[in-house]
């Protein structure tokens, strides 16, 4: 069994883009098990997905109706057993060193719960210089450039689901990132030299979440990002907060379980806890970098 499950949610894809995404997953230096999750595509899209799955020899899960990318990713994750999870988008792709770099960092630093690579933006880009901080800021909202520990993903309740996480603002990936940070840090690597380059390639499309983010934000004088226009609906904000609260309850339950078998009477607050539970122990600096 491979150490990484690659889950690709798909809904009415462009054949060439999906083919490139799967091809890049299969070309990783760190082998992974690839599963396509057809999220209720129409007949033409469904046939394209089947053709790619058959040609590339990867698993296919077909959902009867459209649930949205968050639930589709959760369903795919529940079907595997690998130690790490990678949620590649159907129109994106990653360079061959992407997974091997992430897995090496996760194994070298057991106190990080996820590892993310730098992102190259492709496709229909807003008229901004690539040095604009909103590009790098958006790295943290992209699910595909991260490799996550399976146990942390489940304790964080996976991607946000329900009506609040549908629509242009979505937010299911933001909810997951906030919940993961309750357990630990997210490591990152932004090296660009050819020897270490392991980027994730994000295909922007006019009108998507990234464009919405850019069109409604600006850079202030101190180079921080500020909303100037439309903000996420209250329902999204409340849903993200609820997922974070639910994760906190999960963490409390896990802590109580391990404390029960540890040396709690000796006054050790982390008695019985494993090193992976970063939320309960001191965090070491990462040579690979640490998410701001």
């Amino acid at each position: 069994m491979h150490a990484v499950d690659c889950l690709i949610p798909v809904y009415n894809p462009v054949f060439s883009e999906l083919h490139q995404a799967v091809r890049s997953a299969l070309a990783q230096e760190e082998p992974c098990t690839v599963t396509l999750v057809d999220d209720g595509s129409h007949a033409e899209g469904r046939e394209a997905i089947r053709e790619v799955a058959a040609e590339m020899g990867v698993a296919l899960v077909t959902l009867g109706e459209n649930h949205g990318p968050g639930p589709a990713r959760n369903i795919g994750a529940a079907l595997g057993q690998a130690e790490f999870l990678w949620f590649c988008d159907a129109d994106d792709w990653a360079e061959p060193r992407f997974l091997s770099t992430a897995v090496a960092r996760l194994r070298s630093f057991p106190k990080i719960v996820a590892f993310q690579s730098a992102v190259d933006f492709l496709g229909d880009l807003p008229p901004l210089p690539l040095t604009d901080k909103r590009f790098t800021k958006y790295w943290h909202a992209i699910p595909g450039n991260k490799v996550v520990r399976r146990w942390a993903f489940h304790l964080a309740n996976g991607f946000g689901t329900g009506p609040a996480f549908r629509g242009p603002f979505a937010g299911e990936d933001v909810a997951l990132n906030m919940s993961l940070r309750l357990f630990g840090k997210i490591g990152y690597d932004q090296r660009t030299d050819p020897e270490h380059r392991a980027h994730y390639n994000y295909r922007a499309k006019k009108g998507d979440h990234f464009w919405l983010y850019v069109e409604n934000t600006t850079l202030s004088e101190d180079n921080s990002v500020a909303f100037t226009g439309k903000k996420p609906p209250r329902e999204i904000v409340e849903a993200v907060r609820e997922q974070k609260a639910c994760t906190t309850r999960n963490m409390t339950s896990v802590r109580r379980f391990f404390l029960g078998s540890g040396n709690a009477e000796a006054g050790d607050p982390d008695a019985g806890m494993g090193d992976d539970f970063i939320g309960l122990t001191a965090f070491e600096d990462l040579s690979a970098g640490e998410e701001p």
Side-chain angles (χ1 to χ4, degrees):
M1 183 178 71
H2 295 145
V4 181
D5 280 335
C6 172
L7 295 317
I8 305 179
V10 196
Y11 179 68
N12 297 331
V14 174
F15 180 90
S16 60
E17 294 176 354
L18 177 59
H19 196 279
Q20 183 180 33
V22 175
R23 189 169 66 248
S24 79
L26 295 177
Q28 292 295 308
E29 293 178 354
E30 173 75 35
C32 62
T33 300
V34 180
T35 300
L36 303 181
V37 182
D38 179 358
D39 190 22
S41 296
H42 302 152
E44 184 177 347
R46 188 163 56 247
E47 183 57 33
I49 297 169
R50 289 174 178 170
E51 185 176 342
V52 171
E55 177 186 342
M56 310 294 276
V58 299
L60 171 60
V61 176
T62 302
L63 307 182
E65 59 185 39
N66 180 251
H67 296 272
R73 295 186 189 109
N74 292 343
I75 291 170
L79 298 175
Q81 297 180 332
E83 182 180 1
F84 306 111
L85 299 169
W86 172 30
F87 301 96
C88 181
D89 281 346
D91 54 354
D92 297 343
W93 61 280
E95 295 172 356
R97 293 192 182 96
F98 171 78
L99 275 186
S100 58
T101 300
V103 170
R105 288 291 187 267
L106 286 162
R107 286 177 170 159
S108 297
F109 301 97
K111 292 180 180 179
I112 60 175
V113 294
F115 185 87
Q116 74 177 29
S117 75
V119 174
D120 284 339
F121 288 83
L122 311 171
D124 301 321
L125 299 179
L128 298 173
L130 291 178
T131 54
D132 192 297
K133 187 177 180 180
R134 281 170 289 184
F135 280 111
T136 54
K137 188 80 172 178
Y138 198 74
W139 290 1
H140 310 314
I142 298 174
N145 72 328
K146 297 174 184 63
V147 178
V148 184
R149 297 186 191 277
R150 177 179 291 274
W151 67 259
F153 176 79
H154 286 303
L155 287 179
N157 302 292
F159 288 94
T161 61
F165 292 109
R166 304 293 292 271
F169 272 103
E172 81 285 347
D173 40 16
V174 176
L176 174 62
N177 289 343
M178 290 181 65
S179 294
L180 285 173
R181 289 173 187 158
L182 293 173
F183 296 102
K185 297 287 185 178
I186 298 177
Y188 78 94
D189 191 342
Q190 56 185 7
R191 293 175 294 183
T192 59
D193 57 287
E195 182 180 355
H196 298 102
R197 186 179 171 86
H199 289 193
Y200 182 81
N201 295 270
Y202 174 83
R203 197 184 307 273
K205 296 180 179 178
K206 192 165 185 177
D208 69 5
H209 187 274
F210 177 61
W211 272 79
L212 188 66
Y213 166 70
V214 169
E215 289 172 349
N216 289 280
T217 56
T218 187
L219 289 182
S220 58
E221 292 183 0
D222 63 355
N223 203 35
S224 61
V225 178
F227 272 96
T228 58
K230 187 185 299 182
K231 294 185 178 181
R234 179 177 296 275
E235 293 80 6
I236 287 287
V237 176
E238 292 178 351
V240 170
R241 287 175 178 168
E242 173 55 30
Q243 177 156 348
K244 187 175 180 181
C246 184
T247 301
T248 301
R249 292 192 291 270
N250 283 353
M251 188 169 69
T252 300
S253 298
V254 171
R255 182 186 179 111
R256 287 173 179 168
F257 173 82
F258 281 96
L259 282 175
S261 60
N263 190 25
E265 294 182 359
D268 180 2
D270 295 333
M273 296 300 295
D275 288 341
D276 280 348
F277 288 83
I278 180 64
L280 307 175
T281 55
F283 181 69
E284 301 169 355
D285 290 334
L286 300 179
S287 61
E290 174 187 330
E291 182 188 25

